[in-house]
Amino acid sequence: MDKMMFVEIGMGIDLHGQNVTKAAVRAVQNAIHHNSMPGIRSVLPGGDLANMKVNVRLAVPADRGKLDLERVGVELPYGQVTFEVVDGGMLTSSGILLTDKDDVNDLAYVVIASVEVGY
């Protein structure tokens, strides 16, 4: 990315089920669903959203091997999307183990997302 225009930060949590992908999807949604970029086309090469670059950095606390980046990428409908996955986020107790919610323990997974937009 030559020119970074926006950095959006979000947090996502999966309280039950220990699903790192669900937490990552929620973190990206949290980052982008409070923003509108009405002037972005005016600065993109050719005025084309396909020329937008989106880099998503995900700080995940566990289960990196289970993280489905293709599923997370669905949340970003425009641009050329790349991912960086780093150690981070948080594991914390949800306070209760609910087997009907697919819990294998009482951990809640917290993922932090940084979504960088530019060209």
Side-chain angles (χ1 to χ4, degrees), residues 1 3-8 35-40 43 52-53 55 114-118:
M1 184 177 315
K3 303 251 186 208
M4 188 181 310
M5 304 296 293
F6 303 97
V7 178
E8 303 156 322
N35 299 286
S36 178
M37 299 179 293
I40 192 73
V43 298
M52 181 171 65
K53 293 184 181 177
N55 185 61
S114 171
V115 180
E116 304 165 348
V117 179

Side-chain angles (χ1 to χ4, degrees), residues 41 44-54 77-81 118-119:
R41 280 192 176 122
L44 291 174
D48 188 347
L49 289 175
N51 292 323
M52 181 171 65
K53 293 184 181 177
V54 180
Y78 303 107
Q80 304 160 32
V81 179
Y119 59 94

Side-chain angles (χ1 to χ4, degrees), residues 1 16 30 34 40 43 63 70 80-81 88 100 105 108 112-113 118:
M1 184 177 315
H16 299 287
N30 182 249
H34 302 284
I40 192 73
V43 298
D63 295 341
E70 186 173 316
Q80 304 160 32
V81 179
D100 63 319
N105 54 48
I112 307 299

